[in-house]
């Protein structure tokens, strides 16, 4: 080899030259003045020209958004066909904050770095991998740090109870340091019924809606507000919806009633979703109009021929009324009756005229009498 190899006064020698690519067996010969020779050898591999490292930026995702002060995880991969992973260095930079940290790949080329110090704004984040001779690989992404909107539920109160089908006022106050209130999207959802409503807040930051469609049960209601950057805040309250007892079956007896008959009603069959005991309240309607009668029995003295009487039964589970059931009956015509009848004189002879007198009555109208005589 064309190198000058003269030891210094300490016996050391040092020089350099370029070797061609491939496996080399290098041997050093040292000869003293008496002609004795010592040797030492080493094998080295001369690789091709150095290649720049390769890299990929995996996290955070390009175009992503995170809340100010939250930990952001940086993850990537770094590789180099010429040198081991540990010979590479990785630096992380922000277009707003400058150099934010550095790290080294692990034994598989994966790189992880975390920070919570990114300032508010849109960042161009850079991942730069450098090998031992200064060649680099750089990857960039756009990432935004912002302030999440604020939200406060004002109605309903946490732990409130309502009956099924009743309109419930849902109201929240929202704001954001970067966006107008009207640009903020508010979503109400239930862990039982899923999303139930979404709306943009009005100009003063209020989002309000009345909802009467929640099913019975204990709900966790979540109100979530999202700004134009995708940052969001949510709040959860609990809400109990009391299920209504089902509509009862109602009967009236007798099924063919006249003005001489008392009407007797009954109700049953209502089922409460929470398995509570069900009681019933009653009301009678005459031709569709309410009356003062609220018991299961309606006396015949208040009915007239041709009237339609309806018994309405409303179930109650101890908290609220359910859907009522009802049955109706039309009062039929009652037959007339003869209360008194006699023939005078009491002991007639063949020379007497016989006189028949009778008294008839009818609960519906004035009866007319007709007569017929029968011999023997």
């Amino acid at each position: 080899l064309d190198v000058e190899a003269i030891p210094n006064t300490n016996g050391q020698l040092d020089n350099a030259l370029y070797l061609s690519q491939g496996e080399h067996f290098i041997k050093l010969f040292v000869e003293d003045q008496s002609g004795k020779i010592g040797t030492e050898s080493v094998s080295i591999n001369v690789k091709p020209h150095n290649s720049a490292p390769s890299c990929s930026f995996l996290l955070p995702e390009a175009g992503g958004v995170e809340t100010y002060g939250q930990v952001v995880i940086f993850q990537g991969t770094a590789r180099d066909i010429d040198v081991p992973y540990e010979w590479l260095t990785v630096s992380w930079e922000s277009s707003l904050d400058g150099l934010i940290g550095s790290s080294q790949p692990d034994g598989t080329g994966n790189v992880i770095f975390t920070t919570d110090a990114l300032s508010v704004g849109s960042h161009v984040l850079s991942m730069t991998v450098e090998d031992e001779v200064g060649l680099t690989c750089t990857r960039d992404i756009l990432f935004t740090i912002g302030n999440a909107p604020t939200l406060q539920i004002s109605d309903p109160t946490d732990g409130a109870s309502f009956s099924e089908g009743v309109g419930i006022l849902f109201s929240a106050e929202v704001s954001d340091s970067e966006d107008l209130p009207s640009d903020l999207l508010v979503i109400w959802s239930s862990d039982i019924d899923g999303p139930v409503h979404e709306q943009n807040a009005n100009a003063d930051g209020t989002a309000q809606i009345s909802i009467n469609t929640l099913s019975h049960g204990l709900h966790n209601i979540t109100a979530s507000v999202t700004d134009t950057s995708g940052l969001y805040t949510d709040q959860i309250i609990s809400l109990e919806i009391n299920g209504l007892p089902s509509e009862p079956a109602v009967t009236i007896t007798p099924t063919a009633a006249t003005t001489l008959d008392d009407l007797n009603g009954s109700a049953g069959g209502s089922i409460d979703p929470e398995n509570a005991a069900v009681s019933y309240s009653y009301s009678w309607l005459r031709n569709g109009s309410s009356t003062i009668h609220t018991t299961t029995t309606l006396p015949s003295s208040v009915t007239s021929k041709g009237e339609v009487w309806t018994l309405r039964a409303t179930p109650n589970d101890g908290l609220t009324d359910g859907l009522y059931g009802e049955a109706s009956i039309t009062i039929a015509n009652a037959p007339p009756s003869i209360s008194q009848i006699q023939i005078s004189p009491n002991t007639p002879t063949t020379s007497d005229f016989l006189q028949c007198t009778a008294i008839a009555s009818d609960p519906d109208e004035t009866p007319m009498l007709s007569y017929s005589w029968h011999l023997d």
Side-chain angles (χ1 to χ4, degrees):
L1 296 178
D2 185 20
V3 294
E4 184 177 339
I6 300 175
N8 61 21
T9 56
N10 295 321
Q12 297 175 334
L13 55 95
D14 191 7
N15 213 319
L17 75 150
Y18 289 102
L19 296 177
S20 58
Q21 179 181 339
E23 294 283 345
H24 293 257
F25 182 73
I26 307 297
K27 192 170 186 180
L28 173 64
F29 296 86
V30 180
E31 182 179 356
D32 64 15
Q33 292 181 352
S34 65
K36 293 183 174 62
I37 296 175
T39 63
E40 183 66 54
S41 60
V42 65
S43 293
I44 64 171
N45 181 23
V46 177
K47 294 183 177 181
H49 292 291
N50 181 53
S51 299
S54 62
C55 57
S56 60
F57 204 148
L58 303 178
L59 291 177
E61 293 183 359
V65 182
E66 185 55 87
T67 306
Y68 174 70
Q70 295 296 311
V71 173
V72 179
I73 298 175
F74 291 74
Q75 185 176 356
T77 62
R79 287 172 173 75
D80 193 301
I81 61 173
D82 301 317
V83 295
Y85 296 118
E86 58 267 22
W87 287 26
L88 303 176
T89 58
V90 181
S91 60
W92 308 92
E93 295 184 61
S94 160
S95 59
L96 298 182
D97 300 329
L99 181 65
I100 55 177
S102 61
S103 51
Q104 277 194 309
D106 62 15
T108 61
N110 292 317
V111 190
I112 293 180
F113 171 75
T114 62
T115 182
D116 60 0
L118 292 176
S119 57
V120 173
S122 294
H123 298 249
V124 176
L125 298 177
S126 300
M127 170 190 178
T128 300
V129 179
E130 184 176 357
D131 66 13
E132 83 288 2
V133 295
L135 293 183
T136 61
C137 170
T138 300
R139 295 289 181 267
D140 298 326
I141 66 165
L142 182 65
F143 191 74
T144 301
I145 297 293
N147 290 307
T150 64
L151 176 144
Q152 180 62 49
I153 298 176
S154 51
D155 284 299
T157 58
D158 187 27
S161 297
F162 298 90
S163 295
E164 189 176 9
V166 171
I168 305 170
L169 178 65
F170 289 82
S171 182
E173 305 297 325
V174 298
S175 64
D176 189 83
S177 59
E178 290 91 27
D179 293 329
L180 294 173
S182 57
D183 292 330
L184 303 178
L185 179 64
V186 179
I187 298 176
W188 300 90
S189 60
S190 159
D191 62 341
I192 296 177
D193 296 334
V196 293
H197 187 74
E198 66 176 58
Q199 63 188 133
N200 282 81
N202 58 27
D204 66 0
T206 301
Q208 198 171 78
I209 187 66
S210 180
I211 299 172
N212 63 356
T213 56
L214 292 179
S215 55
H216 69 86
L218 184 61
H219 295 250
N220 286 319
I221 301 295
T222 300
S224 173
V225 57
T226 305
D227 64 16
T228 57
S229 297
L231 296 175
Y232 70 93
T233 300
D234 54 32
Q235 185 181 354
I236 300 176
I237 61 171
S238 64
L239 197 66
E240 185 171 14
I241 303 297
N242 177 53
L244 303 181
S246 61
E247 178 182 334
V250 181
T251 58
I252 300 175
T253 57
T255 56
T258 71
T259 49
L260 299 177
D261 296 311
D262 292 338
L263 301 182
N264 295 293
S266 63
S270 292
I271 298 174
D272 184 70
E274 290 83 21
N275 296 318
V278 177
S279 61
Y280 301 95
S281 60
Y282 299 90
S283 60
W284 289 92
L285 291 79
R286 178 193 287 117
N287 297 327
S289 299
S290 300
T291 69
I292 62 173
H293 304 288
T294 57
T295 63
T296 55
T297 299
L298 184 71
S300 62
S301 59
V302 302
T303 66
S304 298
K305 179 186 71 173
E307 292 177 339
V308 177
W309 282 88
T310 300
L311 176 60
R312 180 172 292 174
T314 302
N316 186 283
D317 61 1
L319 294 174
T320 188
D321 290 338
L323 298 175
Y324 63 80
E326 60 184 26
S328 297
I329 191 170
T330 300
I331 304 301
N333 183 40
S337 63
I338 297 178
S339 57
Q340 295 181 24
I341 184 169
Q342 71 178 52
I343 300 175
S344 61
N346 290 332
T347 55
T349 67
T350 56
S351 61
D352 293 319
F353 286 98
L354 300 182
Q355 179 70 38
C356 177
T357 59
I359 298 176
S361 62
D362 189 290
D364 304 313
E365 54 198 318
T366 302
M368 297 177 63
L369 286 168
S370 61
Y371 298 87
S372 63
W373 292 89
H374 300 270
L375 176 63
D376 292 329

